[in-house]
Amino acid sequence: MRTAPHGFLRVAAACPPVRVGDPERNAEATLQFAADAAQRGVQVLLLPELGLTGYTCGDLFFSLETLVAGAERALDRVLRGTAEQAMVLVVGLPVVQRGRLFNVAAVLQAGHLLGVVPKTFLPGYDEYYEERWFSSARELVADELQLCGARAPFGTDLLFRIPEEPGVALAVEICEDLWAPIPPSSHHAVAGATVILNPSASNDTVAKAAYRRDLVCQQSGRTLAAYVYANAGVHESTTDLVFGGHLMIAENGVLLAEGRRFQRDGETIVLDVDTERLRVERARQTSFADALHAAG
């Protein structure tokens, strides 16, 4: 699929209405938004962190035979429901590997599981308790994962190519990863990623949206990349936290598209990013190539 020719890639960030603790219903909403995106010619669709279960499930994440297994069944349904689409989807869910629970993003295309990326930096401060439920990507014991009847690459060092789009490489980091002193996307960009995808569940507090916006723009500029950000929406606001469904697409330091927060019916933003221009900028700015030496 080549929707946006001449070095452009059509990307989208979406925030479907989520029902916390109901993977089957969330799979249905995911498929509805995926179908709409496909009709709009989207080539890469990003959905929020833990979107198949909901982010605010709390200790329900320990319900391995119900919630976690239900998320895998929901993922399988999404795989089957998008088998005829060439679009790449990134969906969030919890998975278990050898006794450890991970918060991951699954990358899908045409009914195939291309890879699974776990979250590295788990917030365990202020209102966050992720360290109570999940293990960091640093705790991985194998670079493959059995999921939905298939084995898929599992790790933070994965790049995803789109055969129809030469020079385009996708990479994923999850929410708090962007807030770390050295985000994984910095390494991804130096390794060749031109489009960074961030499924997130960042709650809203006073002035946080502006700070989040600055983070996305600055990281897209620092990495000379397109940065797509999809945040959890208002239906996660079932505890003492508030979520707004902040959606953003930035390119080389400039915010090009932003959704309206607090939309109860969900929202999708779509944009053509200029990946050819990004490749030219990387070739022109010698400090980007010099970063290869620093990365080792």
Side-chain angles (χ1 to χ4, degrees):
M1 177 179 63
R2 193 177 176 91
T3 302
H6 311 302
F8 286 85
L9 182 76
R10 185 161 297 173
V11 299
C15 178
V18 69
R19 186 176 295 173
V20 177
D22 190 345
E24 187 67 19
R25 174 62 184 86
N26 296 331
E28 181 180 338
T30 296
L31 288 170
Q32 290 172 353
F33 273 66
D36 175 70
Q39 288 183 347
R40 298 167 72 176
V42 170
Q43 294 167 277
V44 179
L45 173 62
L46 175 67
L47 297 142
E49 179 180 7
L50 293 170
L52 290 182
T53 58
Y55 177 79
T56 54
C57 291
D59 282 359
L60 287 177
F61 284 121
F62 294 133
S63 303
L64 302 185
E65 295 301 318
T66 52
L67 186 67
V68 177
E72 182 174 359
R73 291 191 295 271
L75 178 64
D76 186 65
R77 180 180 173 187
V78 173
L79 281 165
R80 289 183 282 106
T82 57
E84 302 301 318
Q85 297 173 0
M87 179 175 61
V88 175
L89 283 82
V90 179
V91 299
L93 72 158
V95 300
V96 175
Q97 185 198 60
R98 299 189 185 181
R100 292 186 182 275
L101 188 62
F102 294 94
N103 174 351
V104 309
V107 183
L108 331 173
Q109 186 181 35
H112 298 287
L113 184 60
L114 303 182
V116 181
V117 180
K119 189 173 184 176
T120 299
F121 295 96
L122 303 177
Y125 58 88
D126 294 338
E127 65 269 37
Y128 292 103
Y129 298 92
E130 283 187 42
E131 292 174 325
R132 175 180 174 90
W133 309 297
F134 299 110
S135 294
S136 165
R138 292 183 294 269
E139 306 299 321
L140 292 182
V141 294
D143 60 5
E144 282 190 327
L145 181 70
Q146 183 75 26
L147 194 64
C148 297
R151 298 196 68 81
F154 187 32
T156 59
D157 56 349
L158 303 179
L159 300 185
F160 304 91
R161 298 283 183 183
I162 300 179
E164 298 83 1
E165 297 288 344
V168 173
L170 312 175
V172 178
E173 64 182 2
I174 302 175
C175 197
E176 184 76 9
D177 291 345
L178 173 61
W179 301 65
I182 305 177
S185 56
S186 295
H187 300 290
H188 297 331
V190 172
T194 48
V195 180
I196 310 297
L197 306 165
N198 188 327
S200 185
S202 175
N203 66 310
D204 276 273
T205 58
V206 175
K208 191 173 182 180
Y211 185 70
R212 194 163 46 222
R213 188 180 300 114
D214 288 343
L215 278 178
V216 167
C217 290
Q218 289 170 12
Q219 189 64 2
S220 73
R222 183 177 294 110
T223 57
L224 296 178
Y227 202 104
V228 187
Y229 184 94
N231 199 17
V234 295
H235 297 280
E236 294 276 13
S237 306
T238 57
T239 62
D240 55 349
L241 304 181
V242 173
F243 294 84
H246 202 175
L247 306 176
M248 291 177 281
I249 302 173
E251 180 188 304
N252 194 14
V254 179
L255 185 67
L256 298 180
E258 184 173 16
R260 301 165 297 171
R261 291 187 294 145
F262 305 107
Q263 301 299 302
R264 296 197 63 82
D265 293 331
E267 189 179 18
T268 302
I269 59 173
V270 178
L271 185 78
D272 293 347
V273 294
D274 192 344
T275 55
E276 184 172 327
R277 171 181 174 244
L278 294 171
R279 294 169 62 199
V280 170
E281 286 298 309
R282 289 181 176 188
R284 188 178 67 83
Q285 296 192 21
T286 56
S287 57
F288 186 89
D290 288 343
L292 285 169
H293 301 292

